[in-house]
Amino acid sequence: MTAYDDLMAFQRETEALDMIAGRLGWDQETMMPEGATTQRAEEHGAMANILHARRIDPRVGEWLEKAEAADDVAAANLRHIQRSYDRTAKVPAELAAELAKTTSLAHRIWAKARAEEDVASFLPILQKVLDLRKEEAAAVAGDANPYDALLDDYEPGATGASLAAMFDALRPRLVELRAAILEKPAPAALTGSFDEAGQLALSQKLALAFGYDLQHGRIDKAVHPFSSGSGLDVRITTRTNLQDPFNCFYSTVHEVGHATYEQGIHDAYLLTPLGAGVSMGVHESQSRIYENQLGRSRAFTGWLYGQMRDTFGDFGIADEEAFFATANRVHDGFIRTEADEVQYNLHVLLRFDLERALIAGDLAVNDLETAWNDRFKADFGYAVDKPSNGVLQDVHWSEGLFGYFPTYTLGNVYAGCLHEALRKAVPGLDDDLARGDTSRATGWLRENLQQHGGLRTPVETIAHAAGVAPTEGPLLEYLEAKFSGIYGL
Ligand code: ZN
């Protein structure tokens, strides 16, 4: 056994334990009896301690010093393990424990503050979470940029400055596109009620149409849709709303994008550092291209229209063309997770700019709500009416997830680049999509991106598949062309 073999055998067990920890989380959201909450918290804590100890085990350090990479795969494995080892070792155990305790408390205070529309009651604990995360960033990065150190947790290699350059180019064109669209008459919205059994049956049909493998997965109901797991066991959840079947269908397709990425990774990478999606941004590129560029395309919505008529009968939308507009309807709203393709990124950009200012010390926590409301008014043209529709709407900051929001828009940017390359590589794709057949699209994504897991860095992963370094251009061109067509701009 070489040092590399010893290291990889140890790592495999760590990866397996990490899968178990993830499945505890899945269980909590789907199956766990309500009374088990406090016990589950202890179970989570015990697993977190075991994983932490294994990641900074002194033997890992010794193996890393001696191990030699025989090929690209071994080099990538060593790069991932070294990164995790360095990062974990740099954060003092007391700080990690304090962060876990504080964010758990902050989450409860945030939920109460949101329910009571009381921003002031949330700010002291938010300040504490922010201070602890800044302390963590300083421990990891020294004098280097603290926001970049936090961002690196979710999107290795990205920097706040490089994302800001990309996002600053997106924002004015999205604001302009949004304003032009909202001057036009809105397409019809769905009306009436769509039974739950029909929604669940059609959402499973959609999952299968997008290549989700139920032999290695399952679909359950949860309050918030998510995907969980890697390798041979990748599960998703969905939800239903009788008035809004699109919520069920498109959140299913979104989670299927995440899940088929995990299912599509090469078998040889199972339970190794390469056996999971490489970053949050790349992950989101898969969920978004399935959901939007493919799932909300004119061709695919034509097929979905027929499926919905078969399932629910006549639901008042005259034809495929009208249904395409309905499925892509742009409307006013305050909530990020309910936003359409055009406005979604404006919600994310707002959060990105505010959290960078918080971390840099350019914005005080006490001024956060005013800054949020001013920015919202500037980009959306109307005022936030209550905190639950504004600064208190998202869970992320209470959990200390500074640096997470930009990966949503980065995922859309990446999806734009991949979609452009996909359309060139697969001519006549719309003929497939119009029959509900995504196999050539998903096959191209699996071949060029998904199977490679963590082999390359996130930017290299996209560049390898798209053939060019990622930029915001293709996303903007796609959005402007699609919505100009729908709204007659
Ligand atoms: Zn997602």
Side-chain angles (χ1 to χ4, degrees):
M1 293 280 276
T2 64
Y4 179 78
D5 295 332
D6 288 336
L7 175 62
M8 290 307 290
F10 185 83
Q11 181 68 26
R12 194 175 182 90
E13 206 167 82
T14 307
E15 301 281 345
L17 289 164
D18 197 31
M19 289 292 117
I20 294 170
R23 216 156 293 130
L24 280 179
W26 170 84
D27 176 75
Q28 185 167 336
E29 302 300 320
T30 52
M31 301 284 168
M32 188 186 81
E34 221 181 291
T37 313
T38 52
Q39 180 180 322
R40 180 54 50 91
E42 268 193 66
E43 292 169 5
H44 273 304
M47 288 301 292
N49 287 342
I50 289 169
L51 283 164
H52 186 266
R54 290 183 69 91
R55 290 195 175 109
I56 52 160
D57 190 304
R59 288 173 292 172
V60 172
E62 289 160 23
W63 287 322
L64 279 168
E65 264 178 34
K66 291 187 203 142
E68 282 168 22
D71 54 27
D72 288 355
V73 169
N77 276 320
L78 290 175
R79 176 166 52 80
H80 282 280
I81 300 170
Q82 185 82 55
R83 186 172 169 277
S84 154
Y85 178 76
D86 291 344
R87 213 180 155 85
T88 313
K90 280 178 184 167
V91 180
E94 316 84 73
L95 176 57
E98 182 72 8
L99 255 169
K101 208 175 84 190
T102 308
T103 49
S104 153
L105 177 63
H107 182 267
R108 289 203 295 275
I109 293 175
W110 164 78
K112 187 161 183 281
R114 188 175 70 154
E116 293 171 0
E117 305 289 354
D118 180 7
V119 179
S121 69
F122 176 56
L123 296 182
I125 192 82
L126 177 64
Q127 181 73 56
K128 195 167 175 203
V129 171
L130 180 66
D131 291 343
L132 288 169
R133 283 289 271 163
K134 283 168 84 167
E135 206 180 319
E136 186 191 18
V140 170
D143 294 333
N145 186 303
Y147 188 77
D148 293 350
L150 298 175
L151 183 58
D152 200 67
D153 256 350
Y154 315 109
E155 200 63 25
T159 65
S162 65
L163 294 184
M166 201 180 253
F167 294 172
D168 287 349
L170 277 176
R171 186 178 166 207
R173 279 170 68 179
L174 290 176
V175 169
E176 199 183 325
L177 179 60
R178 176 190 175 280
I181 287 170
L182 290 173
E183 276 180 20
K184 299 281 182 177
L190 288 182
T191 53
S193 187
F194 299 79
D195 70 87
E196 180 172 58
Q199 290 192 36
L200 291 175
L202 186 45
S203 85
Q204 174 160 330
K205 197 165 186 181
L206 280 163
L208 295 172
F210 276 96
Y212 184 53
D213 176 4
L214 279 170
Q215 198 62 36
H216 297 104
R218 52 180 290 135
I219 309 174
D220 294 276
K221 276 175 61 180
V223 178
H224 301 288
F226 64 93
S227 130
S228 166
S230 291
L232 304 180
D233 187 350
V234 189
R235 307 176 188 192
I236 62 169
T237 65
T238 191
R239 63 179 168 198
T240 55
N241 171 331
L242 295 184
Q243 278 72 48
D244 183 10
F246 285 151
N247 190 312
C248 174
F249 300 151
Y250 284 106
S251 60
T252 298
V253 173
H254 181 98
E255 298 311 329
V256 161
H258 286 301
T260 54
Y261 181 15
E262 295 290 340
Q263 289 183 331
I265 295 173
H266 201 293
D267 294 345
Y269 300 162
L270 185 73
L271 294 176
T272 75
L274 307 195
V278 69
S279 71
M280 303 309 298
V282 175
H283 239 297
E284 197 67 7
S285 77
Q286 299 307 288
S287 56
R288 286 290 172 179
I289 195 171
Y290 280 46
E291 177 189 352
N292 290 330
Q293 279 89 351
L294 300 173
R296 285 193 171 90
S297 64
R298 170 64 184 81
F300 191 81
T301 55
W303 178 78
L304 180 60
Y305 177 66
Q307 294 295 313
M308 282 184 65
R309 300 221 353 151
D310 289 349
T311 306
F312 304 110
D314 179 0
F315 52 95
I317 302 289
D319 55 29
E320 289 182 10
E321 204 59 41
F323 181 77
F324 173 52
T326 297
N328 286 284
R329 194 169 168 270
V330 176
H331 55 91
D332 282 349
F334 297 105
I335 303 294
R336 173 184 60 85
T337 56
E338 296 169 3
D340 51 80
E341 274 185 272
V342 174
Q343 299 183 91
Y344 186 84
N345 294 301
L346 291 172
H347 286 278
V348 175
L349 268 38
L350 176 159
R351 289 149 179 79
F352 170 68
D353 285 337
L354 294 184
E355 70 177 17
R356 279 178 84 215
L358 283 173
I359 296 289
D362 296 336
L363 174 65
V365 160
N366 283 333
D367 299 328
L368 179 60
E369 184 182 20
T370 307
W372 178 296
N373 291 346
D374 290 350
R375 169 70 175 257
F376 189 88
K377 183 91 200 296
D379 280 3
F380 291 83
Y382 50 94
V384 171
D385 58 349
K386 55 187 178 182
S388 62
N389 277 336
V391 70
L392 290 182
Q393 71 179 264
D394 295 303
V395 70
H396 301 57
W397 288 337
S398 78
E399 294 188 340
L401 300 178
F402 297 98
Y404 192 108
F405 279 122
T407 68
Y408 292 128
T409 286
L410 193 57
N412 287 326
V413 166
Y414 288 165
C417 300
L418 294 169
H419 180 241
E420 191 177 71
L422 166 67
R423 288 282 175 176
K424 280 183 198 147
V426 185
L429 181 60
D430 281 336
D431 296 339
D432 298 13
L433 297 178
R435 295 190 306 269
D437 176 3
T438 73
S439 59
R440 285 201 297 160
T442 52
W444 184 88
L445 287 165
R446 178 165 291 204
E447 172 69 24
N448 292 285
L449 188 146
Q450 294 174 350
Q451 65 160 326
H452 301 299
L455 181 64
R456 301 181 179 87
T457 67
V459 168
E460 288 167 4
T461 298
I462 299 298
H464 174 81
V468 290
T471 66
E472 72 286 354
L475 175 66
L476 278 170
E477 283 158 27
Y478 153 79
L479 288 172
E480 287 168 352
K482 176 176 176 177
F483 286 90
S484 294
I486 294 172
Y487 281 87
L489 304 178

